[in-house]
Amino acid sequence: MFGLSFLVLLVAGVGWGYLKLTGSIDTFSADGVSGDRPPDTSEGQNVLVIGSDSRSGANSGLGGGTGDVGRSDTAFLLHVYADHKHAVAVSIPRDTLVDIPACKKPDGGWTAPQHNAIFNGAFSVGETAEGNPACTQNTVEHLTGLRVDHTIVVDFAGFSALTSAVGGVPVCLPQDIYQRDLNPKRATQGSLVFGKGPQSVSGQRALDYVRIRHGIGDGSDIGRIKRQQAFVGSLVKKVKSRGLNPTTLLPLANAATDAMTVDPGLGSADRLLSFAMSMKNVDLHNTKFVTIPWRYQGARVAIVEPDAGALWASLKADRTLDGQNAAGKKAGGGSAASGGASSSPVSGAGIDVAVYNGTTVTGLAAQAAELLRSHGFTVTGTATANAQDRTGTLVTYGPGLQNKAETTARLFPGARTTESADAGIQVIVGSVYAANPSAAPATPTPDTVPSAVADDARSADDDPCSDLSYG
């Protein structure tokens, strides 16, 4: 919800703003960024945007809660295509179940990897007020197989100031909202906070709007994400509508930089403005918002494979949601990215693999073993995994075996690879493979983003009163 503060700089990146921005940019340490990162092979740029709901400092009166530990209230990965005319922001719900890799703590030690953990827990590793952006970046890279070029954190106070500086943001509500909708612990309904229909919000009211979860839609975080996506689009439209002049842009530029904490690669005015100006031609209509393919798993959110793997593969290949590449040509062929299967032949010659069944489906490990053998892999054994609740397939590998593990993963839709302390390569198959084991050699290539993902996309220039803005 807070994430497009840096896009304000797209229209504020002119010479008169340079000196005003110098010295007002906070950075976080890159010491905690993992050494085991995806290769930098995408032609576009990937920007991780994190909304922090820390209640410390200037945020204490805005968040509606207490505590000094920084938490991630929202996050999305923005992929800016190589043509610098298209972009897509993929929201990751905070309750998504993911694997959090080893992360650095404030005392210099590193945590043990976490399996099936809540996504926003990565930002809280170390329990500091400023949060742990590096850990969240590690987690996103591990999840997507995409290299994150830059990471930006925006907090409550900065978001509130930005919406005030822009003069309010147009929004819509399908019904009246009362105090108890903002705070379900209230014993009474309380007074009216937002009336039904179109209106403009700024400051605390803007913050309240994007954080509404109860009393609207289905009351879920997923519904709130849709409303936040609509809000971000409306915010950027409002910024652009005000025109390019120092009177309107200087307060926005200052508010935007004060709102953000960035990685060292953006930690100076010239770097930040150069980066922002590289995206100045991204059209609002060509800026899409989607949510990672998901389903409910109890009170949590599970990632749906192979749909998510196909989405990441498409972004890595720099193809838009409708199957076009960044130059506007129809996609066709090409090898799949890490995390999705490939249409090119897979040879397992010289690769030893142990296979484990991570589900309750009888005989699944043996089935996967046969697939591997048919491609020349040597299967050293099959067994039942310690946990039998796995959704996607995981390929773990010991030191020096990353390339062989990635070759192995190409046979399994949406498979992820991760380094392990154990020697050798292990394949732990999940329920996605159980549902369609015969599809492994011919899973979607990067030009086949699932239609459910494409259909769910909204543009940054959509009407803020559309149904999606209601959440």
Side-chain angles (χ1 to χ4, degrees):
M1 60 182 166
F2 314 110
L4 267 284
S5 297
F6 74 97
L7 283 186
V8 174
L9 297 175
L10 299 185
V11 292
V14 290
W16 55 264
Y18 183 90
L19 293 177
K20 293 294 293 186
L21 296 179
T22 300
S24 62
I25 303 169
D26 294 328
T27 62
F28 64 85
S29 173
D31 291 347
V33 174
S34 173
D36 180 19
R37 305 184 64 191
D40 186 12
T41 57
S42 176
E43 295 183 6
Q45 289 193 85
N46 300 304
V47 185
L48 174 62
V49 183
I50 306 168
S52 168
D53 68 351
S54 169
R55 270 66 168 181
S56 63
N59 299 295
S60 59
L62 296 171
T66 59
D68 294 328
V69 177
R71 291 179 172 82
S72 173
D73 193 61
T74 190
F76 61 79
L77 184 67
L78 179 75
H79 179 77
V80 182
Y81 291 90
D83 66 356
H84 296 290
K85 296 179 181 179
H86 296 76
V88 59
V90 184
S91 295
I92 305 174
R94 64 182 187 179
D95 290 339
T96 303
L97 296 174
V98 299
D99 291 340
I100 299 177
C103 290
K104 190 174 183 179
K105 298 183 294 185
D107 62 5
W110 288 73
T111 63
Q114 301 177 55
H115 171 62
N116 228 28
I118 300 174
F119 173 67
N120 72 345
F123 192 73
S124 299
V125 167
E127 299 188 334
T128 61
E130 62 270 18
N132 197 327
C135 186
T136 302
Q137 178 177 314
N138 294 343
T139 302
V140 170
E141 289 190 335
H142 182 76
L143 169 67
T144 66
L146 294 162
R147 191 180 185 93
V148 174
D149 298 292
H150 295 294
T151 294
I152 297 171
V153 182
V154 185
D155 63 18
F156 277 157
F159 173 81
S160 177
L162 182 62
T163 58
S164 295
V166 78
V169 179
V171 300
C172 260
L173 282 160
Q175 62 197 56
D176 293 341
I177 298 296
Y178 295 86
Q179 287 179 312
R180 188 164 58 188
D181 297 322
L182 298 179
N183 180 13
K185 295 181 180 180
R186 282 184 61 98
T188 61
Q189 184 182 58
S191 59
L192 181 71
V193 179
F194 296 103
K196 177 181 178 179
Q199 55 206 279
S200 179
V201 296
S202 62
Q204 178 68 59
R205 283 178 56 78
L207 189 59
D208 288 342
Y209 172 82
V210 295
R211 300 190 74 239
I212 298 171
R213 180 168 179 173
H214 303 277
I216 186 172
D218 64 1
S220 71
D221 191 47
I222 301 295
R224 180 167 61 174
I225 284 174
K226 291 180 179 292
R227 190 165 58 257
Q228 292 169 354
Q229 291 171 343
F231 184 92
V232 168
S234 190
L235 168 61
V236 178
K237 285 176 65 177
K238 181 63 179 293
V239 170
K240 289 201 169 189
S241 72
R242 288 164 59 90
L244 303 178
N245 64 78
T247 300
T248 59
L249 294 179
L250 184 55
L252 297 180
N254 287 334
T257 52
D258 287 343
M260 298 185 298
T261 300
V262 300
D263 66 85
L266 295 178
S268 65
D270 56 344
R271 292 177 183 174
L272 186 59
L273 291 176
S274 175
F275 168 68
M277 291 303 292
S278 74
M279 296 190 293
K280 64 183 176 65
N281 293 322
V282 175
D283 188 85
L284 288 179
H285 180 71
N286 293 326
T287 302
K288 307 295 185 183
F289 296 93
V290 299
T291 303
I292 185 175
W294 64 278
R295 63 176 175 80
Y296 284 118
Q297 184 168 310
R300 305 303 182 193
V301 173
I303 297 171
V304 172
E305 297 289 3
D307 291 7
L311 174 59
W312 308 135
S314 181
L315 297 185
K316 191 170 187 180
D318 212 42
R319 290 188 173 93
T320 57
L321 299 181
D322 60 358
Q324 306 288 326
N325 69 13
K329 299 176 182 178
K330 187 68 179 178
S335 60
S338 175
S342 172
S343 57
S344 60
V346 177
S347 172
I351 303 179
D352 296 340
V353 181
V355 185
Y356 296 86
N357 186 352
T359 76
T360 57
V361 179
T362 303
L364 196 62
Q367 200 168 6
E370 284 304 309
L371 171 67
L372 288 159
R373 291 190 185 101
S374 71
H375 286 266
F377 291 81
T378 298
V379 177
T380 59
T382 60
T384 301
N386 292 333
Q388 294 177 276
D389 58 355
R390 175 161 291 281
T391 301
T393 296
L394 179 68
V395 180
T396 68
Y397 59 90
L401 296 175
Q402 181 176 358
N403 290 339
K404 291 184 176 180
E406 291 177 351
T407 298
T408 306
R410 289 170 59 195
L411 286 181
F412 299 91
R416 293 187 299 101
T417 61
T418 185
E419 188 169 8
S420 168
D422 298 329
I425 297 174
Q426 294 82 37
V427 174
I428 308 171
V429 290
S431 58
V432 168
Y433 180 71
N436 198 11
S438 62
T443 49
T445 50
D447 58 331
T448 55
V449 171
S451 59
V453 176
D455 292 344
D456 188 53
R458 64 171 294 122
S459 297
D461 64 348
D462 283 352
D463 184 348
C465 289
S466 67
D467 288 342
L468 283 179
S469 69
Y470 289 168

